[in-house]
Amino acid sequence: MLKISELAEQTGLSAHTLRYYEKHGLINASNRSAAGYRFYTDLDVRRVQFVKTARNTGFSLADIGQLLSIRVDKQSHSCQDVTDITQKKLLEVNAKLAELQSMQQTLELLLESCCGGPENATHCSIMEALDAGLSREDEN
Amino acid sequence: MLKISELAEQTGLSAHTLRYYEKHGLINASNRSAAGYRFYTDLDVRRVQFVKTARNTGFSLADIGQLLSIRVDKQSHSCQDVTDITQKKLLEVNAKLAELQSMQQTLELLLESCCGGPENATHCSIMEALDAGLSREDEN
DNA sequence: GTTGACCTTAGAGTTAACTCTAAGCTTATA
DNA sequence: TATAAGCTTAGAGTTAACTCTAAGGTCAAC
């Protein structure tokens, strides 16, 4: 049985975050001391680790809530329920990735075009490109 | 001379957003009518377009504030001032990109591993992988 | 028996970039 | 001249996921 600070140390999350997760229905302490202190079992720890892993994989807390409700009653859910959530997240990640890759390319082109030196910026090609709307090559 | 809704239409930004940008010192209306209506010149329009282009390139409003202060006094700034801002942004974008690529890979592996069918989730390999911390292959 | 570290709760603050609302002028049109 | 569309401001609300604070109770050790 772990106290909240011990669980925090074991999982790498802060006690604040753990209480926050509890408030949002993701986790819970199986036991409380007479005075109200939270005490966590091994099962609780594993649930927190599940949350942390899902978080690192990009799932939102809302997604994780869904995944957890599948986790506690796997019989009543299908693999498709799980892949639906995962697919949706992958699409979001891919969309964000495309956006960032476009930014990356633009930034790299800008940096290639500019001397970056101590000359004054009167003819700076980055400023010119931003002024010209990047020459309309990549607009939204 | 454009009214704010006309500028909004020309730039694809909302009038709300334009006022927001003004409140944060990025743009301004060169003129006001007797009653206080904003009126924008061609120069104002170009400044707004600069902001929009920079925004699409990933710069934060704070970055754009810096770029704009260079823009209005290029003599007093060097190309290096501009590339410093651009470099910093590229590093941020690259960091975020790496994070998302790792998530993408994980999500794809998860999806490959799971049948995604109507079977119940008792042995769902996505759930198992999340439970196992993704087999420790990719931890933070 | 008193420090000091740790725990509790409710609730406020943070961040970025909007987005919207309310209450009240202004302006163009019919 | 009356209506509707559009403008003004100040300020509140939104989103996600924390992060922190205040005020106070608890517990182990010296």
Side-chain angles (χ1 to χ4, degrees):
Chain A
M1 300 281 259
L2 302 176
K3 280 192 289 186
I4 195 165
S5 64
E6 293 163 336
L7 178 60
E9 186 167 13
Q10 263 207 29
T11 58
L13 301 169
S14 74
H16 277 307
T17 297
L18 291 169
R19 287 193 206 95
Y20 174 81
Y21 285 173
E22 180 179 311
K23 187 156 60 177
H24 287 70
L26 298 180
I27 64 171
N28 224 316
S30 293
N31 302 288
R32 292 273 188 146
S33 75
Y37 281 31
R38 290 168 178 81
F39 282 109
Y40 298 92
T41 65
D42 274 8
L43 247 62
D44 295 335
V45 175
R46 274 189 249 144
R47 186 168 166 121
V48 173
Q49 275 160 347
F50 179 96
V51 171
K52 197 194 175 194
T53 301
R55 203 75 199 76
N56 288 340
T57 307
F59 291 108
S60 68
L61 299 190
D63 294 332
I64 295 173
Q66 289 187 59
L67 291 172
L68 285 169
S69 66
I70 294 174
R71 186 173 183 268
V72 295
D73 187 10
K74 290 181 182 158
Q75 320 265 18
S76 308
H77 295 274
S78 66
C79 279
Q80 203 191 335
D81 293 339
V82 180
T83 53
D84 281 353
I85 297 170
T86 310
Q87 268 293 357
K88 183 178 127 276
K89 178 53 57 182
L90 179 57
L91 289 177
E92 286 174 29
V93 166
N94 283 342
K96 192 75 191 152
L97 221 32
E99 194 185 343
L100 282 168
Q101 275 159 351
S102 155
M103 289 177 184
Q104 182 193 43
Q105 198 198 341
T106 301
L107 290 166
E108 280 172 353
L109 284 173
L110 288 175
L111 284 169
E112 275 168 30
S113 77
C114 179
C115 65
E119 299 81 345
N120 81 43
T122 315
H123 301 295
C124 173
S125 46
I126 293 179
M127 295 308 279
E128 281 171 4
L130 291 173
D131 259 321
L134 305 174
S135 315
R136 239 131 269 132
E137 271 163 39
D138 193 61
E139 240 166 54
N140 326 31
Chain B
M1 299 281 259
L2 303 176
K3 279 192 291 188
I4 195 166
S5 63
E6 294 164 336
L7 177 59
E9 188 168 11
Q10 264 208 29
T11 58
L13 301 169
S14 74
H16 277 307
T17 297
L18 291 169
R19 287 193 205 96
Y20 174 81
Y21 284 174
E22 179 180 311
K23 187 156 60 177
H24 287 70
L26 298 181
I27 64 173
N28 226 316
S30 293
N31 303 288
R32 292 274 188 144
S33 76
Y37 281 31
R38 290 167 177 82
F39 282 110
Y40 297 93
T41 64
D42 276 7
L43 248 61
D44 295 333
V45 176
R46 274 188 250 144
R47 186 169 165 121
V48 173
Q49 277 161 348
F50 179 96
V51 171
K52 197 193 174 194
T53 301
R55 203 74 199 74
N56 289 339
T57 307
F59 291 108
S60 68
L61 300 190
D63 293 332
I64 295 173
Q66 290 187 60
L67 290 171
L68 285 168
S69 67
I70 294 174
R71 187 173 181 267
V72 296
D73 187 9
K74 291 181 181 159
Q75 321 266 17
S76 309
H77 295 274
S78 66
C79 280
Q80 203 190 336
D81 294 339
V82 180
T83 53
D84 281 353
I85 298 170
T86 310
Q87 267 294 357
K88 183 177 127 277
K89 178 53 59 181
L90 179 57
L91 289 176
E92 286 173 30
V93 166
N94 283 341
K96 191 74 191 154
L97 221 33
E99 193 184 344
L100 281 168
Q101 275 159 351
S102 154
M103 287 176 185
Q104 182 194 44
Q105 199 200 340
T106 301
L107 290 165
E108 280 172 352
L109 283 173
L110 288 176
L111 284 168
E112 275 168 32
S113 78
C114 179
C115 64
E119 299 81 346
N120 82 44
T122 316
H123 300 295
C124 173
S125 47
I126 293 180
M127 296 307 280
E128 281 171 4
L130 291 173
D131 259 322
L134 304 174
S135 313
R136 239 131 269 131
E137 270 161 38
D138 193 61
E139 242 167 50
N140 324 32

